[in-house]
């Protein structure tokens, strides 16, 4: 029988063992856990997350928990209908319905939450945090996620803006030449559809496109968190979930090491467990930028589907990783560097303020279409 004294001894031993294992896993080298936490909070994000990192760092500076701070930053992007890749105003699925994905991971508790293909919830990152905080589950999907939102008093709203509806209708009209939808004359495009094409590219109707916001951050205690939120692949098959709600792919945080996430072709990220891979690379002593490049190399090496490769065998799609480590070092890398006039960029905020920086990249220029 386990007496109270033996129980306490066993519990103390288990705790010491746990600490030992964590230290061993963290690979306590000069490059990882043994470094001092940053003197100022740091947050790194996708290019569209500049306001998110600014807010997250402000809130962490004021003493907020890193995940609370980051989710508040991400909500700015989710609320903005001008960002048609995240939250309210996101590009809908092939049936014209906005379905959102999001995940969060909290370093200090090692807990995570996520929602996928949820409809009517403007701030899916907040809902993912609620899954983490109030359930024993990690991922709720579709109607169940929406029901969970309703049970928690989260308002259910129409997230399809008039502009997103027009864009979806235009996509339907242009899908095929032999269906019952007639293409509107190119010279008489609705100004909002024209604006969308100018921003996201004319081939948007024939090439898969994604957009997403990821934020990873660390506070001055060295506590980490991450969050990813998206409306996913434009005009996706209803129910499709990308990497954003998948813990270990679109978002992963280990409080002993760092936090990472991604934007871009979610299917490619899921196949290499990208967020987890980046954190593992940092655990082995790689800088955040090197770790992001390693994950991209894995994707490039493991993509064998010829429809996804260009004539030189390089992935034709876009994907980026973002990472920060426990000491506040940060970095990002993109599969493609982008044209000189529009290089691939990411957002960062730290003691020097919020700014955009160029991503490291695996291949120069634009992906071949
Ligand atoms: N990375 C976003 C998505 O694939 O949905």
């Amino acid at each position: 029988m386990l007496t109270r004294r033996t129980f306490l001894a066993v519990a103390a031993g288990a705790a010491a063992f746990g600490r030992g294992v964590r230290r061993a896993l963290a690979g306590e080298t000069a490059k990882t856990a043994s470094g001092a936490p940053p003197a100022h909070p740091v947050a790194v994000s996708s290019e569209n997350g500049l306001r998110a990192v600014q807010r997250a760092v402000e809130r962490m500076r004021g003493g907020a928990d890193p995940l609370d701070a980051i989710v508040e930053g991400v909500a700015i992007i989710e609320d903005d209908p001008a960002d048609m890749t995240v939250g309210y105003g996101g590009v809908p699925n092939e049936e014209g319905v906005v379905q959102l994905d999001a995940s969060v991971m909290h370093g200090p508790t090692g807990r995570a939450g996520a929602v996928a293909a949820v409809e009517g919830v403007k701030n899916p990152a907040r809902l993912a945090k609620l899954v983490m905080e109030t359930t024993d589950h990690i991922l709720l999907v579709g109607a169940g996620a929406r029901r969970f939102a309703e049970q928690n008093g989260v308002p259910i709203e129409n997230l399809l803006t008039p502009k997103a509806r027009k864009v979806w209708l235009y996509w339907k009209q242009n899908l095929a030449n032999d269906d019952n939808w007639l293409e509107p004359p190119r010279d008489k495009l609705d100004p909002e559809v024209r604006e969308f094409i100018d921003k996201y590219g004319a081939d948007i109707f024939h090439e898969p496109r994604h957009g997403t916001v990821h934020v990873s951050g660390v506070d001055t205690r060295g506590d980490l968190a991450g969050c990813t939120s998206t409306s996913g692949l434009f005009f996706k098959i209803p129910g499709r979930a990308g990497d954003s709600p998948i813990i270990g792919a679109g978002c992963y945080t280990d409080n002993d090491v760092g936090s990472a996430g991604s934007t871009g072709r979610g299917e490619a990220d899921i196949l290499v467990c990208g967020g987890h891979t980046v954190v593992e690379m940092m655990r082995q002593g790689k800088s955040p930028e090197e770790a992001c490049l390693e994950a991209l190399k894995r994707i490039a090496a493991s993509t064998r589907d010829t429809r996804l490769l260009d004539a030189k065998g390089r992935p034709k799609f876009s994907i980026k990783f973002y990472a920060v480590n426990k000491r506040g070092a940060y970095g990002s890398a993109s599969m493609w560097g982008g044209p000189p006039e529009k290089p691939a960029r990411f957002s960062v905020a730290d003691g020097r303020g919020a700014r955009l920086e160029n991503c490291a990249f695996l291949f120069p220029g634009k992906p071949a279409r």
Side-chain angles (χ1 to χ4, degrees), residues 206-261:
H206 306 105
E207 291 291 338
R209 284 293 167 86
H210 323 69
T212 297
V213 63
H214 169 78
V215 179
S216 272
V218 60
D219 67 15
T220 53
R221 294 175 291 250
D223 282 336
L224 290 136
C227 171
T228 306
S229 182
T230 190
S231 49
L233 179 67
F234 293 3
F235 318 117
K236 61 196 172 185
I237 296 175
R240 178 260 186 192
D243 57 331
S244 305
I246 307 298
I247 295 298
C251 183
Y252 192 71
T253 304
D254 182 324
N255 216 45
D256 287 329
V257 179
S259 180

Side-chain angles (χ1 to χ4, degrees), residues 38-57:
H40 195 282
V42 180
V44 64
S45 179
S46 34
E47 183 172 3
N48 59 347
L50 190 62
R51 288 169 295 161
V53 288
Q54 193 166 22
R55 174 67 61 85
V57 160

